[in-house]
Amino acid sequence: MGHLKPRYTCPLMGIQLDPELVDAIRAAESVVVMTGAGISAESGIPTFRDELTGMWENYDPEQLATPQAFERDPETVSRWYDQRRANIAKCEPNAGHQALATLERWQTKDRGRRFTLLTQNIDGLHRRAGSANVVELHGTIWRWRCTKTGREREYRHIPFPSYPPLSEDGGLLRPAVVWFGEMLPEREMMTAQRECESCDVYFSIGTSTQVFPAAGLIQLAHASGARTVEVNPETTPVSNLVDWSLRGPAGTVLPGLVERVMPPTGT
Ligand code: NAD
């Protein structure tokens, strides 16, 4: 990946796409998409950088999203996650989520090919948009785990009746998400690695590509021969390394790209 320069930069308005990128997607037997917080920004869910405002402005994610923070102050950590749950509950999938669901349907149902959506997001918006093969590498904010029994279940009711919330078994509840310093779930990570090793096109969308091990998967895909594409309004550590850097918001870039890639209905 090292010597390649992005051959195409997408302007914010009036998207013109490199025909070679369109051809690469059309020819792909297997597509892998990795998404991060940026794809949900246009739904109103802040990225980490924008999230810690208001009463949370004196925190950084590593003060809140760690097992140590939860051990020290479970009430503050669960109140923060509950505020995020409440905000996410009000948000809808945007045009970027929907374009990926459309691309998946076309790739799998219409053409019998492979499509895997890896996400670092915990908001559940990809499934709500209709994506089917979603691998949640960092868990989901809608499931909580009892720290006494290890049992997980879905909690949709907001807010919790007390803080920190307790399970039916009397143990502290924690969100079933992956915190800084914790291992990614083994089954999801193995699926991600297997798909990255065999994909033809790998997309990195709305992620700062700084949180490992998810950030390393683009290297694995590239080393395995995939063409790589980034969609992000800003530069990231991989912007100069990918085959195509589409510099714009996912909610604009992805619908334009999918429209170009898919044949018009009826053909
Ligand atoms: P990040 O916050 O580190 O980076 C977000 C990236 O998105 C940035 O590079 C930014 O330039 C880009 N971006 C902003 N608006 C965009 C848009 N409209 N279209 C495309 N890109 C846009 O997020 P990350 O890389 O996902 O990693 C941080 C961690 O944050 C992850 O572990 C994730 O679980 C967690 N997180 C998740 C959510 C969520 O579930 N929605 C929200 C905040 C944080």
Side-chain angles (χ1 to χ4, degrees):
M1 197 142 76
H3 64 285
L4 290 171
K5 290 277 169 257
R7 276 172 289 142
Y8 178 72
T9 297
C10 180
L12 280 177
M13 308 298 286
I15 299 168
Q16 298 167 341
L17 289 166
D18 181 352
E20 202 184 321
L21 167 59
V22 173
D23 289 346
I25 300 169
R26 286 183 180 155
E29 282 298 326
S30 172
V31 172
V32 168
V33 174
M34 164 70 80
T35 65
I39 193 162
S40 295
E42 290 160 88
S43 291
I45 302 173
T47 61
F48 262 171
R49 198 182 47 190
D50 297 332
E51 186 164 40
L52 296 157
T53 53
M55 67 178 284
W56 302 105
E57 70 187 343
N58 295 323
Y59 291 84
D60 76 44
E62 297 186 29
Q63 282 180 280
L64 292 166
T66 65
Q68 294 78 14
F70 185 71
E71 207 169 296
R72 209 169 40 239
D73 187 353
E75 176 170 345
T76 301
V77 172
S78 42
R79 279 187 190 281
W80 182 56
Y81 274 94
D82 224 26
Q83 183 208 272
R84 298 178 73 193
R85 236 169 36 120
N87 182 38
I88 291 167
K90 288 186 278 185
C91 296
E92 296 296 328
N94 64 53
H97 297 105
Q98 278 150 5
L100 291 177
T102 304
L103 187 62
E104 177 180 7
R105 277 192 296 275
W106 178 66
Q107 174 80 349
T108 58
K109 296 222 161 66
D110 298 358
R111 312 201 303 157
R113 300 186 185 185
R114 297 177 69 79
F115 186 98
T116 307
L117 203 166
L118 312 174
T119 188
Q120 298 165 79
N121 293 347
I122 58 175
D123 55 36
L125 289 190
H126 284 301
R127 288 189 205 279
R128 280 181 53 200
S131 289
N133 192 19
V134 182
V135 180
E136 291 175 320
L137 291 170
H138 290 174
T140 164
I141 203 165
W142 299 109
R143 294 188 74 76
W144 290 59
R145 187 183 314 138
C146 173
T147 52
K148 193 162 138 193
T149 63
R151 268 199 290 272
E152 279 182 18
R153 57 162 273 219
E154 204 171 272
Y155 287 88
R156 293 254 165 202
H157 188 76
I158 301 168
F160 281 113
S162 62
Y163 294 93
L166 298 178
S167 75
E168 292 73 7
D169 297 305
L172 281 180
L173 275 178
R174 58 156 287 179
V177 301
V178 178
W179 280 332
F180 289 107
E182 292 186 322
M183 302 282 283
L184 268 64
E186 200 180 324
R187 194 171 44 128
E188 279 77 358
M189 200 54 199
M190 281 174 65
T191 303
Q193 282 169 344
R194 191 186 62 231
E195 294 302 329
C196 288
E197 280 166 0
S198 59
C199 70
D200 302 299
V201 176
Y202 179 102
F203 283 89
S204 175
I205 303 171
T207 172
S208 56
T209 323
Q210 279 170 355
V211 180
F212 283 84
L217 290 169
I218 189 168
Q219 303 283 351
L220 177 60
H222 172 76
S224 309
R227 312 297 298 277
T228 52
V229 191
E230 178 172 64
V231 179
N232 198 312
E234 294 182 20
T235 54
T236 75
V238 300
S239 300
N240 284 327
L241 309 175
V242 291
D243 293 316
W244 293 278
S245 172
L246 308 187
R247 201 68 58 73
T252 305
V253 173
L254 291 175
L257 177 62
V258 170
E259 198 184 339
R260 275 289 305 281
V261 167
M262 287 175 55
T265 351
T267 59

